[in-house]
Amino acid sequence: MWSVCKKEFRQFFSSLTGYIAIVVFLLLNGLFLFVFPDTNILDFGFATLDKFFELAPWILLLLIPAITMRSFADEFKGGTFEILQTKPLSRWQLVSGKYFGALGVVIIALIPTIIYPISIQQLAATGGGIDMGGTIGSYIGLVLLAGVFVAIGIACSSFTSNAVVAFIAAAFLCFVLYSGFNAISRIQALQAGADYYIEMLGIDFHYRSVSRGVVDSRDIIYFLSVILFFLIFTNRNLLKR
C-alpha cells in the first residue's frame, strides 16, 4: 500500500502540474483574503479567518478533482492497471495507496496556509487575537472535508479512462454533496419539518459544526462513513475490471 502511496506522491510532483496546482490554490486564497475588496480580511476589521474557511472548500472542490482525476483513469488508459493486478497487492491496498497518496498532496497544499492565522494573530490590535479553538477546529474540518473530496475523486476516476470526465464528475459530485442538501433543505415546503434532517446529510452542515471549535463524535463518524462508503464503492467497481 505504501509503495502505491509513494508512487502516487512522486508522480504528482514529477511534473510542473503538481506544483502549479498547489501554487494556484495558495495564490487564490491569498488574493481572496488579502487583495480582493469583498473578501479582504484586512478591511474587515476583525481578527478572524472565517472568510478563509468559507472560501477554502470551494477552491478545494476544484483542486482535489484535478489531483485525483488521473488516479485510475491513467492506469486504465495506459494499460498499467493490468500490470498492477499482477503485483502482490489486494484491491484494498491499491485503493488505500491511491487515496493516501492524493490526500498527502492535499495536506501539503494546506500546510503553508498556517501562515494565515500566524499573520492575523500578529496583526491583531487586541491581546486576544483570533479564536485559536475555532481555528484549530476549522483546520480539522478542512482536513476531514478534503478526505471526503479525495475519496469521491478516487471513486470517479475508477469509472473511466478519461481524466477530464473523471474531473468533471468528481467536481459535480463534490458540489452536490457539499451544498446540494443545504439548498434542498431551504425549500419552503420542507421548512419546520424534514429540512434539518436533509441538511444533516450534507457535508457543509458537519463542516460548519466542526469549524465552531467543538469536535463532535457525530461529525467525525459522518466524515469517516462517507470516506469509507466511497472507498468501498471504488473497490467494488475495480472488481468489475
Side-chain angles (χ1 to χ4, degrees), residues 5-200:
C5 180
K6 288 186 286 186
K7 172 182 171 292
E8 285 293 300
F9 200 79
R10 286 196 303 266
Q11 187 174 354
F12 187 79
F13 288 106
S14 63
S15 65
L16 281 176
T17 307
Y19 297 99
I20 290 172
I22 292 177
V23 168
V24 168
F25 170 72
L26 296 173
L27 183 62
L28 283 175
N29 279 311
L31 288 173
F32 277 114
L33 290 177
F34 298 104
V35 179
F36 295 161
D38 292 335
T39 56
N40 192 328
I41 56 178
L42 298 177
D43 295 339
F44 190 58
F46 295 97
T48 177
L49 279 173
D50 289 348
K51 288 294 182 182
F52 167 65
F53 293 113
E54 289 174 10
L55 291 167
W58 296 101
I59 300 175
L60 288 176
L61 193 147
L62 296 175
L63 173 70
I64 292 177
I67 292 172
T68 60
M69 64 182 184
R70 295 181 177 177
S71 295
F72 284 107
D74 276 8
E75 304 283 5
F76 299 149
K77 186 176 181 179
T80 53
F81 181 72
E82 287 73 16
I83 298 174
L84 282 174
Q85 287 182 307
T86 64
K87 302 290 183 181
L89 284 170
S90 68
R91 282 185 174 80
W92 264 116
Q93 289 175 321
L94 177 59
V95 172
S96 299
K98 295 276 188 183
Y99 175 78
F100 286 112
L103 184 60
V105 173
V106 178
I107 290 174
I108 284 179
L110 289 175
I111 287 174
T113 65
I114 295 175
I115 197 172
Y116 298 152
I118 295 173
S119 301
I120 299 302
Q121 183 72 13
Q122 295 298 318
L123 292 171
T126 59
I130 62 174
D131 178 10
M132 290 305 298
T135 301
I136 293 171
S138 296
Y139 267 107
I140 292 172
L142 207 55
V143 171
L144 290 170
L145 178 138
V148 173
F149 283 177
V150 169
I152 293 171
I154 295 289
C156 290
S157 183
S158 70
F159 268 93
T160 177
S161 59
N162 190 317
V164 177
V165 173
F167 170 81
I168 294 172
F172 176 75
L173 193 53
C174 288
F175 171 78
V176 169
L177 288 179
Y178 179 71
S179 63
F181 290 101
N182 186 30
I184 293 171
S185 69
R186 294 181 181 179
I187 297 174
Q188 192 64 35
L190 299 174
Q191 295 300 308
D195 57 329
Y196 177 75
Y197 300 101
I198 292 173
E199 189 179 7
M200 281 182 66

Side-chain angles (χ1 to χ4, degrees), residues 218-237:
R218 290 172 295 183
D219 298 318
I220 303 297
I221 290 170
Y222 170 84
F223 281 112
L224 294 180
S225 298
V226 176
I227 291 170
L228 187 61
F229 170 79
F230 279 102
L231 293 183
I232 292 173
F233 194 69
T234 304
N235 185 61
R236 292 282 185 179
N237 190 46

